[in-house]
Amino acid sequence: MLRSNLLLSARKFALPLTILASALIFTRGVAQTLDKNQRDRGIQILHDVADALRKHYYDPSYRNIDITAKIKTAEQTIQNAINNSQIFGAIANTLEELNDSHTFFEPPTRAARREFGYVMTMVGDACFITNVRPRTDASEKLSPGDRVISVEGHTPERANLWLMNYAINDLYALTALHLQLVRPDGTEQAVEVKAKIRQEKRVLDMTSGDDYWQLVREDENSEHLARQRQAEFGEALVVWKMPQFDMADEEVDRALKVVKRHQSLILDLRSNPGGLVKTLQYLVGGVMDHDVTIATRKGRKPDLKPIVAKKRGSPFQGKLIVLVDSRSASAAELFARMVQLEHRGIVLGDLSSGSVMEARFYPMNDGANNKIFYGASVTDADLTMSDGKSLEHVGVMPDERLLPTAADIAEGRDPVLSRAAELVGVEIDPVAAGKLFPYEWRPD
């Protein structure tokens, strides 16, 4: 199904993938013997992705890149590949050259699910371990508050952290990573973190009850992690943790019904990767007392309609504070910037990711009886806000930039949420603020 959205898994600040693809670590331990059929399948996947790009990419000049030459280079790389990781890397690199946050290759899922058990986040210009999963190798070697100064010899920065995660989690079947850390006490240490690997079925039989119900459980787990969470503080304040813009209209209405019982709303969009255009429009319409043009679209078609939010009924008119961080992307950034441009409220936190385009995801598959599934996200419109500027590669600078320290992260304190509450006259201790919405891991 095609979804017109501001993609949930937006990529950002594309750096030529060859920087990582050439590193020995990303091919170590994944040696294979590919036959002609496997290479031919790789060529077919490349052509499927290239067809979607040619048909739908918003800029017919492909940002002045010779896309035909890039595809030919990828074909040659695939013909010489020794493993699937190199095939996937060649296809991904073809799209990454566009330097477009919302255009990327989604490779076939692997039979082995790997998890390293930690989360890296940019805080200002530094990269920190912010969450560690219990009972993993990472839990014995990493702690929240550790500053990461290199991953396999590469320095994590705002411009490349997404790329590291994409290569590690999507493209290459890694079993271990080498990190150089600075602990909160200032000591430096090198660690090797091993992935937790769970072997899954290579072929799913949808006539089998076991396989069917396993997919149902995974879908339920995803819905649970993406649920909306709210915390109320009398009539004065409600804090709404919004994990993504992927809500039905009635869900937005239910959340806003709670919001309207309070004098102030803190909308926490930190780590929110974006989502559906219609959810963005519906939410904006619920907090604005007039119609708002969120952004104009620029694409292949000259008559693209702007993204407009219509005022809906009796909107929430109380105080509004929006929280963002380096992982706030796409629709989350558009909402935050709209709040600033319309002088509707205050934005607090860190500079957002700068991943703001409009795209569709094109699902694809190959095979007859046994199918593999993959796809590509392709940008179909650039977005410009009412100030005439795009947020792509720029992001939203908060009205008040607040960054947690290494000690805050280590102790689980949330000074940003605490400060936001202070601005509306409610006292929430940073420790208590950090416990409101604990990080949740996907169940095994």
Side-chain angles (χ1 to χ4, degrees), residues 123-125 158 349-351 401-405 408 415-416:
V123 179
D125 293 323
R158 279 180 173 263
D350 197 1
L351 176 67
R401 195 176 189 188
L402 299 172
L403 305 179
T405 64
D408 288 329
V416 181

Side-chain angles (χ1 to χ4, degrees), residues 14-83:
L15 186 72
L17 194 64
T18 51
I19 290 178
L20 294 185
S22 62
L24 177 61
I25 179 61
F26 291 110
T27 56
R28 187 185 63 206
V30 290
Q32 296 172 233
T33 301
L34 299 182
D35 59 28
K36 182 178 183 300
N37 290 335
Q38 290 170 305
R39 289 194 178 89
D40 287 347
R41 172 170 279 182
I43 295 293
Q44 182 60 54
I45 294 173
L46 171 65
H47 288 172
D48 289 345
V49 171
D51 285 346
L53 187 71
R54 290 190 178 104
K55 291 176 182 177
H56 305 293
Y57 194 62
Y58 83 102
D59 179 3
S61 74
Y62 307 103
R63 297 191 171 190
N64 297 317
I65 290 175
D66 186 344
I67 200 67
T68 300
K70 296 296 180 184
I71 293 168
K72 288 182 178 179
T73 298
E75 289 175 345
Q76 294 171 358
T77 301
I78 292 172
Q79 293 293 357
N80 296 320
I82 63 171
N83 54 53

Side-chain angles (χ1 to χ4, degrees), residues 274-343:
L276 302 178
V277 172
K278 69 181 186 66
T279 302
L280 171 65
Q281 292 170 302
Y282 209 70
L283 180 59
V284 171
V287 299
M288 297 297 297
D289 62 4
H290 59 279
D291 296 350
V292 175
T293 297
I294 301 171
T296 57
R297 293 175 164 118
K298 177 184 177 182
R300 292 195 181 197
K301 298 178 180 179
D303 57 346
L304 290 177
K305 295 181 179 180
I307 300 175
V308 176
K310 300 286 187 179
K311 174 191 171 184
R312 296 190 300 101
S314 177
F316 169 69
Q317 298 185 41
K319 294 180 180 179
L320 174 61
I321 297 182
V322 180
L323 308 184
V324 296
D325 65 6
S326 65
R327 296 171 65 193
S328 302
S330 206
E333 298 181 87
L334 287 171
F335 186 91
R337 185 59 180 151
M338 179 279 303
V339 167
Q340 291 179 326
L341 292 173
E342 295 292 329
H343 306 287

Side-chain angles (χ1 to χ4, degrees), residues 26 51 99 103 137 146 155 164 174 183 209 237 241 255 269 300 306 335 354 379 397 412:
F26 291 110
D51 285 346
N99 194 25
T103 299
D137 189 55
D146 291 340
T155 301
M164 291 183 178
L174 305 183
R183 304 294 189 180
L237 172 66
K241 179 67 174 177
L269 300 181
R300 292 195 181 197
F335 186 91
T379 293
M397 178 58 72

Side-chain angles (χ1 to χ4, degrees), residues 12 33 36 50 89 93 112 143 149 198 251 261 285 349 352-353 363 421 425:
K12 116 180 212 339
T33 301
K36 182 178 183 300
N93 189 51
S143 299
I149 56 177
R198 188 178 74 184
E251 291 180 275
R261 298 201 298 258
S352 66
S353 74

